[in-house]
Amino acid sequence: MSVGSYSEQKRYSGMLTLQPSAIHLRAVQDFAKLLPKAAAAAQRRAINKTLGWLRTHIARAVGRQERIAIAAVRQRLRAYPVSGSRMRGKLWFGLNAIEASRAGRPRQTGSGVSVAGRRYSGAFYKKVYGSKADIWIRTASKHFSAADYPDSELTSRRGASSGFVGENSDRFPLAKAKISLEQARPNFDSWIKRADERLLEVLKQELNFELQKYLKGTARV
């Protein structure tokens, strides 16, 4: 019966022989039979952890570059973890323009609205449509420039007013301030290229975890 690893000492050398003990040898053989189930669990966790890793790092990178609150960027990154037998996870990210009001904490001033280092002259921060306040400007304002409001919604529809006279009438169409995320695209691309490397690293950890868990279980028998 194997007693496991052992060493032999000589005058000028030593030899360490690595081999499994009888109990570990049985464990390895049994683990091989269970490998499909254990490997699937390890792969599932590795994919899901890598998705979370990507979501966190992309949000930080884009937030820093575009001066947008990380929490707002994370809402544009939606992870779909592995479920069932299909070993496939997905990470969705939206690159359409984000409302400027979500970039940070808007501050209304006499000359306009400032948020996250950006200034929107002639704009106002107010609830117009929906239940949340946004940064708006009248398109008739001398401060309005389409270039400063990328992908903004131009609206003149009628609806429930929040009390600002004529704010949603045809005479005073409004534009909502938004921030383009097109410049953030390289950040997504660069982190996605690192996904395979990270997945392999985590997969090794998870496979080792499954092995160690099984070996500990056999030691108690």
Side-chain angles (χ1 to χ4, degrees), residues 78-145:
R78 190 174 304 159
Y80 296 91
V82 175
S83 61
S85 59
R86 295 192 67 183
M87 290 299 167
R88 181 180 298 174
K90 295 183 178 181
L91 180 66
W92 175 89
F93 52 91
L95 285 172
N96 50 313
I98 191 170
E99 288 82 355
S101 58
R102 296 168 59 190
R105 181 175 296 179
R107 289 177 51 247
Q108 181 74 60
T109 67
S111 59
V113 180
S114 61
V115 59
R118 296 176 175 85
R119 178 172 293 278
Y120 295 91
S121 298
F124 58 92
Y125 180 60
K126 196 174 182 70
K127 291 182 183 178
V128 176
Y129 301 114
S131 59
K132 295 182 179 180
D134 270 305
I135 301 173
W136 301 87
I137 190 172
R138 289 187 176 128
T139 56
S141 169
K142 66 178 182 180
H143 298 289
F144 173 73
S145 171

Side-chain angles (χ1 to χ4, degrees), residues 33-75:
K33 297 177 183 178
L34 297 174
L35 184 60
K37 182 178 179 180
Q43 187 175 0
R44 186 180 300 110
R45 290 196 304 271
I47 293 174
N48 292 342
K49 286 183 178 182
T50 302
L51 285 175
W53 179 83
L54 282 171
R55 188 166 181 252
T56 295
H57 284 80
I58 291 176
R60 289 176 182 172
V62 173
R64 285 194 298 265
Q65 176 182 308
E66 301 300 322
R67 293 178 296 163
I68 300 174
I70 294 176
V73 181
R74 283 179 65 86
Q75 292 177 359

